[in-house]
Every structure is written in structure tokens, then in C-alpha cells.
């Protein structure tokens, strides 16, 4: 983001606003019409489909390329003079079927171009990722790009989240890098990262809002390299935030015990599960309503480390390694009375399992 440019735009916007105000005529104040999300989605998909049919990318460059980078990715518009080389691919043929999702109660579709799947862990919609990107519009104008890797929270609805919802929808289709190496000059090289492009309708981006270089109701696209992913536990209660999406709607809007708190702006707000350290409000912290397990793995005698990735009931809290001996501490969900309700969400169960 070019801060200087952005500041100038803000000043320009303020001047326009002041000018309108002086006129004392409300009809002069620019008003953004709030459009129907489903109708806008249909229009955006038409625009994106048209773009994908009218552009190709340098697929041949990436065939057998063991180090694919977005800096090498070239998307070119097809015109009377420009015909794609046979070895390259029209985007519409390369993206495959659109991905489907639901956001704000509306059925959405978006496209992904996969250049490299990635060799590491798969992020969930509520995790933090480390990545680089270049954002561009369907006019092929770049509106934003990173000069070095950044870290962001994918979780929708989380306070101070800087990412649009499309990131949380697209990233789980990729994997982070399998490894990284620190170079002599202190920079980091990532091995086998997820590399691709997402083509997003405005409803999974800024929708009615505009941004520098992005008018209201505009689909946007991002080239990206996904380097690392970190499981988030926003309230530190031992339960990863993606598990605190109880109704599995991809949004952290669940509030099992219907309690509230006064937020930093002074408003009464629901104390949502992902931010609540006693999710059933029974006085026993969630942490203490989980089973604590410690694993000791001696790799010197060939013992193998268990893999907890994707495990829906047992979550790694810490992992240390010393002289070939790995120690992993986990928290595991418990249902003491077998009523299909986990103890931490069941206010009739008040068994304290641990106090670490
Ligand atoms: Ca949690
Ligand atoms: Ca709550
Ligand atoms: Ca919680
Ligand atoms: Ca509790």
C-alpha cells in the first residue's frame, strides 16, 4: 500500500465531502447504492468468466519447474494480434470448475488457478498465514503488492482482521511450504510453497466499499505464494479457533452460552466461543474441561512422531525436541456422560480435569 497515495486520496475525498456539505443539499452527497448480493454475484461471475476466456498464462514456463514463483507468472490478454502459444493455456481451461461457498447467507462461486499445491500443512479458514501477494483488477491494474512476506489472520469476524473473506475461502485449497532455509544474507527461502491465483467476486472482497485502485462492486484477483500456516487459538483455551466454529458455517459467530461482554468501544457484545475462555459459562474454564495428554517420542530408538494435523478432537499445545527426544502436549475433548455434548460445552458437567 502506497501510504502517500492513500493519504492524498483521503484528502481528496474530504475536499469533495466538504464541497458537497457547503452546498447544503443532501442530494449532492455521493451515496453508494447497496445492491443485492445474489444479483451482484451473477454480474461478477459474468465479468470473471469473460476475463478468464480472454486471457492466457505462461503455463509452459511452469511445466516441470521445481521452483515456481508468482514473479514469473505472466497473464496476457488475447487480442487480434496476440494469440496464445499452443503450449500455454487459456485461463478458463486452467482454473477448472469454480469453487462454491456460502457467505452472508448467499451462494458464492470463485475461481482458483493452481500453479503449485504446496508441500506442507493446509491452513484452515481461522488460521494465520505467512505469504506474499500481488492484487490486480480485471483491467490488469495492480492495486497492491507485498515487497516481503507478511502475516495475516484468515478468520472472518475477528477484530482488526485485515483480509477480505475470499482469502479464508481460497487458502484451504493450498498447502504451505514443506520447509524453509535461511540463506547466508539472512533472507529465507521457502521450499515447495503453495502458489496460485484467486479470482474473487466483489461479494468475497470489498463489495460496496471502494479502495484505492478498486471501485465499488469490482471483482479482484490475487497472485500469491503461501509459505507458512499457524493454527490459531484466539482465546488460548486449548481449542483451536476453527474447532470453535461449532455449527461449521465457516464463520466464528457461535456463542454457545449466549453471554455478553462490554467491548473496548463500550458496547455490549456477544462473547463468542472463539473469544470465550469458559464456553458453557459453568465456572470451570474450558482448558480444565479438556483431557491433558503428554507424548514422549524417542527417535533415537526409531519411535515415530504421531501426526495430529486434521485431528478434530485432540490438539497439539506444545512440541519440544531435545537430543532426539520429542515431547508433545495435547488437549483432548471429553464427553464424560456420553450425551454427545463435549464437557466444555455442557454446563451440567463440572469436572475439573486439569489445571495447567
Ligand atoms: Ca480457542
Ligand atoms: Ca460465550
Ligand atoms: Ca473458547
Ligand atoms: Ca466451562
Amino acid at each position: 500500500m502506497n501510504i502517500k497515495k492513500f493519504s492524498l486520496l483521503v484528502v481528496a475525498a474530504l475536499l469533495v465531502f466538504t464541497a458537497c456539505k457547503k452546498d447544503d443539499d443532501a442530494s449532492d452527497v455521493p451515496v453508494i447504492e447497496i445492491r443485492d448480493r445474489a444479483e451482484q454475484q451473477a454480474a461478477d461471475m459474468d465479468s470473471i468468466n469473460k476475463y478468464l476466456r480472454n486471457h492466457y498464462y505462461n503455463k509452459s514456463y511452469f511445466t516441470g519447474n521445481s521452483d515456481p514463483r508468482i514473479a514469473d507468472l505472466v497473464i496476457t490478454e488475447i487480442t487480434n494480434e496476440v494469440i496464445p502459444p499452443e503450449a500455454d493455456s487459456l485461463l478458463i481451461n486452467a482454473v477448472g470448475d469454480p469453487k462454491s461457498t456460502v457467505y452472508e447467507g448467499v451462494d458464492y462461486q470463485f475461481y482458483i488457478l493452481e500453479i503449485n499445491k504446496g508441500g506442507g500443512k493446509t491452513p484452515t479458514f481461522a488460521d494465520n498465514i505467512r505469504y506474499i501477494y500481488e492484487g490486480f483488477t480485471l483491467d490488469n491494474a495492480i492495486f497492491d503488492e507485498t515487497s516481503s512476506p507478511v502475516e495475516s489472520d484468515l478468520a472472518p469476524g475477528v477484530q482488526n482482521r485485515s483480509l477480505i473473506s475470499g482469502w479464508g475461502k481460497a487458502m484451504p485449497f493450498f498447502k504451505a511450504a514443506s520447509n524453509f532455509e535461511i540463506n547466508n544474507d539472512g533472507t529465507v527461502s521457502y521450499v515447495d510453497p503453495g502458489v496460485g491465483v484467486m479470482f474473487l467476486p466483489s461479494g468475497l472482497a470489498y463489495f460496496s466499499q471502494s479502495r484505492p485502485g478498486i471501485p465499488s462492486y469490482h471483482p479482484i484477483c490475487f497472485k500469491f505464494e503461501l509459505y507458512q500456516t499457524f493454527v490459531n487459538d484466539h482465546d488460548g483455551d486449548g481449542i483451536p479457533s476453527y474447532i470453535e466454529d461449532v455449527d461449521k458455517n465457516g464463520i466464528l459467530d457461535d456463542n454457545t452460552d449466549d453471554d455478553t461482554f462490554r467491548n473496548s468501544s463500550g458496547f455490549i457484545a456477544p462473547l463468542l466461543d472463539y473469544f470465550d475462555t469458559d464456553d458453557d459459562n459453568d465456572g470451570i474454564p474450558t482448558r480444565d474441561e479438556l483431557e491433558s495428554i503428554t507424548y514422549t517420542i524417542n527417535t533415537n530408538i526409531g519411535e515415530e512422531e504421531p501426526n495430529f494435523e486434521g485431528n478434530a478432537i485432540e490438539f497439539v499445545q506444545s512440541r519440544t525436541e531435545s537430543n532426539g527426544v520429542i515431547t508433545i502436549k495435547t488437549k483432548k475433548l471429553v464427553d464424560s456422560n456420553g450425551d454427545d455434548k463435549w464437557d466444555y460445552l455442557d454446563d451440567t458437567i463440572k469436572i475439573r480435569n486439569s489445571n495447567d
Side-chain angles (χ1 to χ4, degrees), residues 18 44 68 79-80 120 151 208 221 231 258 290 314 319 337 356:
T18 316
D44 286 352
T79 64
N80 286 337
E151 191 176 325
S208 60
C221 320
V231 174
D258 282 325
L290 307 171
E314 189 171 0
R319 179 190 180 281
N337 62 352
D356 57 357

Side-chain angles (χ1 to χ4, degrees), residues 281-293:
N281 218 8
D282 65 354
I284 314 276
T286 291
R287 280 198 82 78
D288 298 345
E289 295 200 75
L290 307 171
E291 185 185 353
S292 300
I293 304 172

Side-chain angles (χ1 to χ4, degrees), residues 235 237 244 273 276 279:
D235 54 9
D237 64 358
E244 300 220 46
D273 283 15
D276 189 344
D279 292 285

